[in-house]
Amino acid sequence: MEGNNTVSGFEILLQKQLKGKQMQKEMAEFVRERIKIEEEYAKNLSKLSQNSLAAQEEGTLGEAWGQLKKSLADEAEVHLKFSSKLQSEVEKPLLNFRENFKKDMKKCDHHIADLRKHLASRYAAVEKARKALTERQKDLEMKTQQLEVKLSNKTEEEIKKARRKSTQAGDDLMRCVDLYNQAQSKWFEEMVTTTLELERLEVERVEMIRQHLCQYTQLRHETDMFNQSTVELVDQLLRKVDPAKDRELWVKEHKTGDIRPVDMEI
């Protein structure tokens, strides 16, 4: 039947839409895994910042070391904020975009399928009417031949009846062809409209995902910037580390050198 290839093409477009929805879902799952990594990383950074290793370091070096440990807690906070924004600004929108998409696509599929069935039934009616016309024409031809062999009022009456039936069959065929053409026109219009809508939806889906992936990279850039700021004070204190000053402070604190050795007297 005419149009089968187009229906196949429509089904391919429909499958592409459903595949696109699945890809969108898998991207959201990927971002969810990224969020888990960030949360775990932040947890470990926070835990490490509270570690007591080298807590007894003193002086300017001890101050820089203490700030370095504190910077881990600050960095942990940065990663927690990053994971929170990933969830609200990337993962959630990907999950929620067209929540009822599959349901809508099924409705679309059923609508086109109904039109296709209706078109198929119209086509079958045309074939049936065509067959009936052929049979009526054969019957009329046979009765006309019989009249040539044997003239009778009965045969003439049968020819008139056969001619009426043949004419009626021809009218029925024309009516069936007209109904088929109407159904095909309706089906084609719906196919074009639906196909254009599917194409529009695909463009919209791709643009939506692009925007949210851009948001992901923007958040990453911001996170890098904030992470950099957490170590700026550490850098400043490291530049101020002064071994001589530390030694002087240590001597004052522990009062080393206050008691000097004296010569022994006999």
Side-chain angles (χ1 to χ4, degrees):
M1 183 184 73
E2 185 179 346
N4 277 344
N5 291 334
T6 309
V7 170
S8 176
F10 168 77
E11 290 170 354
I12 291 173
L13 284 174
L14 191 63
Q15 287 303 314
K16 178 173 175 55
Q17 289 291 319
L18 296 176
K19 180 182 177 182
K21 176 65 176 176
Q22 179 62 27
M23 294 302 97
Q24 175 186 322
K25 179 182 177 182
E26 291 181 14
M27 287 180 186
E29 291 174 358
F30 181 90
V31 175
R32 165 46 50 185
E33 291 302 311
R34 183 72 170 89
I35 291 170
K36 289 180 180 178
I37 290 172
E38 288 297 319
E39 291 174 341
E40 187 65 22
Y41 184 53
K43 178 182 176 182
N44 290 334
L45 282 176
S46 180
K47 182 179 179 181
L48 183 59
S49 71
Q50 300 170 28
N51 191 290
S52 61
L53 290 173
Q56 295 181 359
E57 182 61 59
E58 300 173 336
T60 56
L61 180 59
E63 187 179 359
W65 174 249
Q67 184 59 43
L68 187 147
K69 291 171 63 178
K70 181 181 180 302
S71 74
L72 296 186
D74 296 337
E75 187 179 352
E77 186 64 26
V78 169
H79 284 277
L80 277 179
K81 288 181 179 179
F82 176 49
S83 66
S84 177
K85 286 188 175 183
L86 278 182
Q87 194 274 331
S88 62
E89 298 178 23
V90 181
E91 180 201 18
K92 190 174 180 180
L94 285 174
L95 284 175
N96 294 343
F97 184 67
R98 296 178 186 164
E99 288 182 286
N100 299 319
F101 188 69
K102 284 189 176 181
K103 186 176 180 181
D104 293 341
M105 286 300 99
K106 282 186 178 180
K107 287 182 180 179
C108 180
D109 189 24
H110 290 160
H111 176 60
I112 295 298
D114 288 343
L115 289 175
R116 184 183 182 188
K117 289 177 182 177
H118 181 63
L119 185 60
S121 69
R122 291 300 185 192
Y123 183 82
V126 169
E127 291 303 302
K128 183 178 180 181
R130 195 190 308 278
K131 182 178 179 181
L133 176 59
T134 300
E135 291 175 353
R136 294 304 180 189
Q137 287 176 335
K138 286 182 178 178
D139 183 55
L140 176 59
E141 184 179 351
M142 182 183 67
K143 285 182 169 54
T144 302
Q145 291 175 352
Q146 289 176 352
L147 180 61
E148 293 176 354
V149 176
K150 182 180 179 181
L151 293 173
S152 68
N153 292 334
K154 182 179 180 182
T155 303
E156 289 181 3
E157 193 62 35
E158 288 178 349
I159 289 176
K160 290 180 182 179
K161 186 176 180 181
R163 185 174 289 116
R164 285 196 301 270
K165 288 183 177 181
S166 178
T167 301
Q168 182 62 47
D171 292 341
D172 288 344
L173 176 59
M174 291 179 63
R175 181 180 60 83
C176 288
V177 168
D178 184 53
L179 290 174
Y180 171 80
N181 288 335
Q182 291 179 32
Q184 186 184 55
S185 178
K186 173 67 175 175
W187 176 79
F188 182 74
E189 288 176 6
E190 290 291 327
M191 277 294 302
V192 170
T193 301
T194 305
T195 299
L196 290 175
E197 176 63 12
L198 290 179
E199 290 178 355
R200 185 192 68 78
L201 289 174
E202 177 63 7
V203 170
E204 185 179 69
R205 182 189 74 89
V206 171
E207 180 58 24
M208 181 278 298
I209 292 176
R210 187 194 69 81
Q211 289 178 2
H212 287 91
L213 294 184
C214 284
Q215 181 62 15
Y216 169 86
T217 59
Q218 178 62 31
L219 291 173
R220 277 289 289 112
H221 291 316
E222 292 177 1
T223 300
D224 289 342
M225 181 182 67
F226 292 141
N227 276 338
Q228 184 63 34
S229 69
T230 64
V231 295
E232 287 178 356
L233 185 54
V234 179
D235 286 335
Q236 293 175 16
L237 291 174
L238 285 174
R239 285 193 291 271
K240 293 179 181 179
V241 170
D242 185 342
K245 184 178 179 180
D246 286 356
R247 180 172 58 81
E248 182 182 343
L249 291 172
W250 188 86
V251 168
K252 286 183 178 180
E253 181 179 352
H254 294 279
K255 300 183 184 302
T256 60
D258 284 358
I259 302 176
R260 294 180 176 276
V262 295
D263 293 337
M264 182 181 294
E265 295 182 356
I266 297 175

